[in-house]
Structures are given as C-alpha cells and as structure tokens.
Amino acid sequence: VQGDTIYVLELNPRASRSVPFLSKALGLDLVKIAVRCVMGETLKTQGLPKTLHPKHYFVKQAVFSSAKLPTGPLGPEMKSTGEVMGIAANFADAYAKAQTAAGTPPKLPQKTTVLSLQEVYHA
C-alpha cells in the first residue's frame, strides 16, 4: 500500500510462493508478522515502517524443466517446476539474472535499441 493505491502482486489464497519470495526480497519474516497481526499486535508495535524503500529490484522467474523429462511436456497443472530470483540495482540486470538462473539466458540486443516498459514494479 502506498498512499491511497493498493498493488496486488498475486491473488492466491495459499500464497505459498509469493510470501517466501517477498520475505526474502524485503528481509522480513512476513509469516511471523502476519501471525502477530492476527494475534492483535499492530505493524507499528512490531516496529515496521509505513513504507519500504528497497535499493534493489527483485525478479521472480519460473523454471521450466519439462524438456529434461523423458515423458515429454507436463500437463497444464504443473508447467513450472520451481522458481529463481534475480536481484540487482536495476530492473534490466535483475531480469537478466533471473532468466539466466532459470536456464533461459535473455537474448539481449547486439546494437542500440529502445525498450519501453509500460509498468515496472519495484518491490
């Protein structure tokens, strides 16, 4: 939440992948914080700031290893077999690191070009 704007990163009732990712990116134990909130403790009494201003970008990339399986591609219920995180001081480097770690190095332009990103989320 920033001002009157709420950003929804993922709407998932179990949040089994988003919460660990955000906890690692922010350096906060979000599960512990949430449990304390459920028990009646406020964010303020837990010493958390109203806003966070990380100095890095964090990119989550799915790892698709189905090509390595002898049975062929997986069904729609399990396309991704894991995730990796790219961390850098700028979005482009974080994205490139995540792609490389997932085994799909980005095809970066060999000559000058302009890329336009409509919306980039800075975690």
Side-chain angles (χ1 to χ4, degrees):
V1 178
Q2 189 173 33
D4 294 327
T5 305
I6 296 175
Y7 296 96
V8 177
L9 298 179
E10 180 177 340
L11 189 57
N12 181 340
R14 57 189 172 91
S16 62
R17 292 187 176 158
S18 295
V19 171
F21 175 82
L22 290 172
S23 290
K24 182 160 180 96
L26 299 172
L28 298 170
D29 186 342
L30 295 177
V31 173
K32 184 186 254 182
I33 292 166
V35 168
R36 286 181 173 170
C37 287
V38 169
M39 300 303 291
E41 194 173 337
T42 67
L43 295 176
K44 185 176 182 178
T45 61
Q46 292 185 56
L48 296 168
K50 286 187 178 185
T51 58
L52 299 171
H53 302 283
K55 293 182 171 77
H56 291 85
Y57 286 81
F58 305 89
V59 175
K60 179 169 73 168
Q61 172 62 41
V63 175
F64 298 97
S65 57
S66 61
K68 298 177 185 175
L69 299 174
T71 59
L74 300 172
E77 59 280 342
M78 188 181 167
K79 291 275 187 190
S80 170
T81 58
E83 295 170 337
V84 294
M85 177 189 288
I87 304 170
N90 62 66
F91 175 77
D93 288 344
Y95 175 79
K97 286 180 178 183
Q99 293 297 311
T100 301
T104 53
K107 293 181 175 111
L108 300 174
Q110 299 301 308
K111 54 186 174 182
T112 305
T113 187
V114 175
L115 300 175
S116 172
L117 298 174
Q118 298 254 337
E119 207 167 356
V120 174
Y121 293 99
H122 182 224

